[in-house]
Amino acid sequence: MIIILKSEAAKEDADEILAQIEAAGLKPLYMPGSERVVLGAIGDERVLGQLHLDSHPMVESVKAILSPYKLVTRDVHPHDHVVELGHGVSIGGGTFTVIGGPCAIESLEQMRATAVKVKEAGGLALRGGAFKPRTSPYSFQGLGLEGLEILKQVSDELSMPSFTEVVEVADVEVVHDHASGFQVGARSMQNFRLLKALGETRKPVLLKRGMAAKIDDLLNAAEYILSGGNEDVILCERGITTFETATRNTLDLNAIPVLKKKSHLPVIVDPSHGIGIREFVIPMALAAVACGADGVIVETHIDPAKALSDGKQSLYPEQFADMVKRVRAVAEAVGKTCP
Ligand code: PEP
Ligand code: MN
């Protein structure tokens, strides 16, 4: 439920109502606006009815939250949520953030050399997979713990935050200890046990849309994480499966304005997996910025021809640098700031 207070309501009135909500076993939310204070109560609406808040002298109106994803919806959080990644880098709230790095961490030399290029180009955060969920069991599966250690070492050396994929609940702790944020891959978007485990952590979660998931499925998956108490979710469009075979996936840019309207969470785009072909990654990154993305996550490799995974879609370092320059220009043209 959303509880809109009268304009003359004081902070004490809000506190008193929030205490009633909490005492009834519901989750209270405080959402001060520019004109009115708005409160939220998440939980069994019959219990809330028993509080008769609509007759409270300081309450103007009580409305149901119609959305099934009650914490993710913009209805209860009208302002953009900003996710802090560490090292002074954030995503959301009017800034534009570039995350770059290889698909997979292959060695200290490869990760370090690629990361140095990402930083020089103006990339603000690193990516790199240590646990790689590959379509074929015979493809490179990642370096596991050794990869996580390399990622941590490189991100410490360069003072850059890092994302890496977590594929199972048993790995949450070790990934937590080595990276600034978790990546949930497209294949895991509806691994609800994993989402619940990430809800209990307090590190950012970059949640990728499943290849056959609807926008609402993605928002419900995010709700799993928020309902555990972790509010720092970044939604990521990475392409969906369609009848098209000329590209690896179909990057659904429709999702960007729709997600931005429905949710206060930051939304980023992965054009690398979205189109899957190196020469088309930059145009799709530019398009993503133009339609409102808060950032892009792009695969780049010091030597893409030798990459053990996703080399075909990985940018050469010079291309990555060119992309950063151009996405920044578009970001500024659409009113974002580029730190
Ligand atoms: C990746 O980021 O390398 C990856 C495996 O992505 P996705 O889960 O979107 O396929
Ligand atoms: Mn990849």
Side-chain angles (χ1 to χ4, degrees), residues 72-306:
V72 163
T73 177
R74 216 181 249 284
D75 291 353
V76 292
H77 286 282
H79 305 292
D80 284 355
H81 181 60
V82 178
V83 176
E84 302 291 343
L85 305 181
H87 295 289
V89 179
S90 61
I91 299 194
T95 58
F96 189 78
T97 309
V98 178
I99 305 168
C103 179
I105 301 157
E106 299 166 11
S107 66
L108 175 61
E109 295 67 37
Q110 169 255 13
M111 186 66 216
R112 183 191 274 140
T114 308
V116 165
K117 293 289 183 187
V118 168
K119 185 163 183 162
E120 276 173 15
L124 295 180
L126 297 173
R127 60 149 291 148
F131 299 104
K132 294 304 302 176
R134 305 301 300 280
T135 301
S136 162
Y138 306 115
S139 300
F140 177 59
Q141 303 284 309
L143 294 181
L145 179 59
E146 187 192 346
L148 292 180
E149 283 167 353
I150 292 171
L151 184 66
K152 179 157 174 24
Q153 182 176 339
V154 171
S155 91
D156 288 348
E157 279 174 15
L158 297 178
S159 298
M160 291 172 84
S162 62
F163 281 100
T164 196
E165 181 162 353
V166 59
V167 286
E168 59 172 312
V169 175
D171 294 334
V172 168
E173 196 175 327
V174 72
V175 172
H176 176 279
D177 293 346
H178 288 81
S180 317
F182 301 96
Q183 178 175 318
V184 175
R187 291 156 193 80
S188 306
M189 190 205 83
Q190 287 186 316
N191 179 341
F192 299 118
R193 297 264 314 273
L194 180 62
L195 301 177
K196 281 188 182 177
L198 296 173
E200 280 168 21
T201 72
R202 293 295 174 269
K203 276 204 170 168
V205 180
L206 194 166
L207 179 63
K208 290 187 142 195
R209 179 182 180 183
M211 51 266 269
K214 294 182 182 163
I215 290 172
D216 265 18
D217 298 330
L218 173 62
L219 292 167
N220 274 305
E223 183 82 10
Y224 267 89
I225 302 169
L226 268 73
S227 66
N230 185 354
E231 298 181 348
D232 290 332
V233 174
I234 301 148
L235 304 170
C236 179
E237 164 59 39
R238 50 76 73 201
I240 52 174
T241 302
T242 65
F243 52 78
E244 184 54 73
T245 53
T247 54
R248 182 176 178 182
N249 290 293
T250 296
L251 186 63
D252 179 19
L253 291 180
N254 289 351
I256 310 312
V258 175
L259 288 167
K260 296 288 300 176
K261 171 95 197 266
K262 286 181 177 250
S263 176
H264 62 296
L265 296 174
V267 180
I268 67 167
V269 169
D270 171 352
S272 306
H273 294 85
I275 197 153
I277 304 165
R278 183 184 302 123
E279 68 176 301
F280 305 132
V281 169
I282 298 180
M284 297 317 290
L286 295 170
V289 194
C291 69
D294 297 300
V296 285
I297 177 164
V298 177
E299 287 183 346
T300 175
H301 192 287
I302 192 69
D303 188 358
K306 298 219 176 85

Side-chain angles (χ1 to χ4, degrees), residues 29-64:
L29 297 169
Y30 178 64
M31 301 168 265
S34 47
E35 285 167 23
R36 292 292 155 91
V37 171
V38 178
L39 308 179
I42 311 283
D44 187 340
E45 298 195 343
R46 287 165 304 180
V47 175
L48 194 74
Q50 290 160 15
L51 298 180
H52 301 292
L53 290 177
D54 44 357
S55 46
H56 189 286
M58 285 300 158
V59 170
E60 186 161 291
S61 61
V62 178
K63 291 199 301 192

